[in-house]
Amino acid sequence: MARVWLIRHGESETNAGFPGGDPGASPLTELGREQAAEIAEALAEPPRLIVTSPFVRARQTALPTIERFPRADREEWPVQEFTFLGELHGQVTTTETRRPHTEAYWDRADPHHAVNGAESFADLFGRTQEFLKRLGEREPGPIAVFTHGLFIRAVMWSLLTGITTPDSEAMRGFRTFADTYVVPNGNITELRYTPGKRIPRVVVPLASRFADR
């Protein structure tokens, strides 16, 4: 059984409403750096492995944990955020300017739709299945995975529903789940995963400490 901490990165500049371009380039804010430090202190035992997504905000969030547990192995896996607005690639945008494009994408409910090098919804679920496969091949021991909100939701939803190859109906169902299953910045979700036996549970919702700040 793999014991995994799915950790959403700390608050990034785009989370805070600042404009950004490359989806992977947004760095942490001051609050995000505080959340990263809190995550490192919250882990009660050393992880066997520290995994980061290739995105800057996830790698920055992992740094305090890497410094606290320097003997842990470190790897980069494709657990980056779901980026689906290919029509906006190369443009500087904010959450508000992206909103109508985001709504149109989800209303389309086409799991294979992708333009300008963006990832399709079906591709996202391909990554979740590859992620779970890699976990199942690992030796027992805590694995800290610094990743992103929609990726965490996709992993959890796939485990809870058993859906691995989504159609339009499943995509609509996931959108409802994603809107109601809150994964704040800095949140830690513990997943105890054995292929065929799925027992996810929330351990430490760290971001709640910063909710009023």
Side-chain angles (χ1 to χ4, degrees):
M1 179 178 68
R3 183 177 171 210
V4 187
W5 297 317
L6 297 174
I7 304 167
R8 188 184 177 195
H9 61 82
E11 182 189 71
S12 68
E13 289 187 356
T14 51
N15 292 148
F18 294 102
D22 182 345
S26 181
L28 296 181
T29 62
E30 181 179 352
L31 173 57
R33 290 189 292 272
E34 291 180 33
Q35 290 170 329
E38 289 279 351
I39 289 166
E41 291 302 316
L43 300 181
E45 60 185 292
R48 178 186 296 273
L49 172 66
I50 297 172
V51 173
T52 68
S53 103
F55 282 14
V56 169
R57 53 193 180 272
R59 291 190 282 112
Q60 288 181 335
T61 303
L63 284 177
T65 299
I66 292 171
E67 292 172 357
R68 185 182 176 201
F69 302 109
R71 295 185 179 181
D73 292 334
R74 299 193 294 273
E75 296 180 9
E76 184 176 283
W77 291 8
V79 294
Q80 68 272 15
E81 187 59 288
F82 178 37
T83 55
F84 50 87
L85 297 179
E87 67 271 23
L88 299 181
H89 283 185
Q91 301 182 37
V92 176
T93 62
T94 65
T95 300
E96 286 304 311
T97 57
R98 290 190 298 273
R99 192 178 305 281
H101 299 273
T102 299
E103 292 297 322
Y105 174 82
W106 289 108
D107 288 345
R108 186 186 186 104
D110 179 356
H112 301 288
H113 177 71
V115 297
N116 196 26
E119 184 178 36
S120 73
F121 188 69
D123 291 336
L124 168 65
F125 270 75
R127 285 199 289 119
T128 67
Q129 300 315 299
E130 179 61 27
F131 171 69
L132 292 170
K133 178 182 176 182
R134 292 178 79 164
L135 292 181
E137 295 169 348
R138 290 287 170 164
E139 296 180 5
I143 302 174
V145 181
F146 290 83
T147 180
H148 304 261
L150 277 176
F151 186 81
I152 292 172
R153 292 179 177 99
V155 169
M156 300 299 285
W157 189 76
S158 180
L159 290 174
L160 292 168
T161 64
I163 294 173
T164 59
T165 306
D167 56 16
S168 293
E169 182 180 357
M171 188 172 176
R172 294 188 184 96
F174 174 78
R175 185 188 186 188
T176 299
F177 174 79
D179 286 344
T180 55
Y181 180 66
V182 178
V183 183
N185 291 113
N187 189 80
I188 301 174
T189 299
E190 181 167 299
L191 174 65
R192 299 193 178 194
Y193 175 70
T194 300
K197 296 181 180 179
R198 307 173 176 95
I199 310 173
R201 66 186 181 90
V202 172
V203 176
V204 185
L206 278 176
S208 63
R209 300 185 186 185
F210 301 94
D212 298 327
R213 296 182 55 179

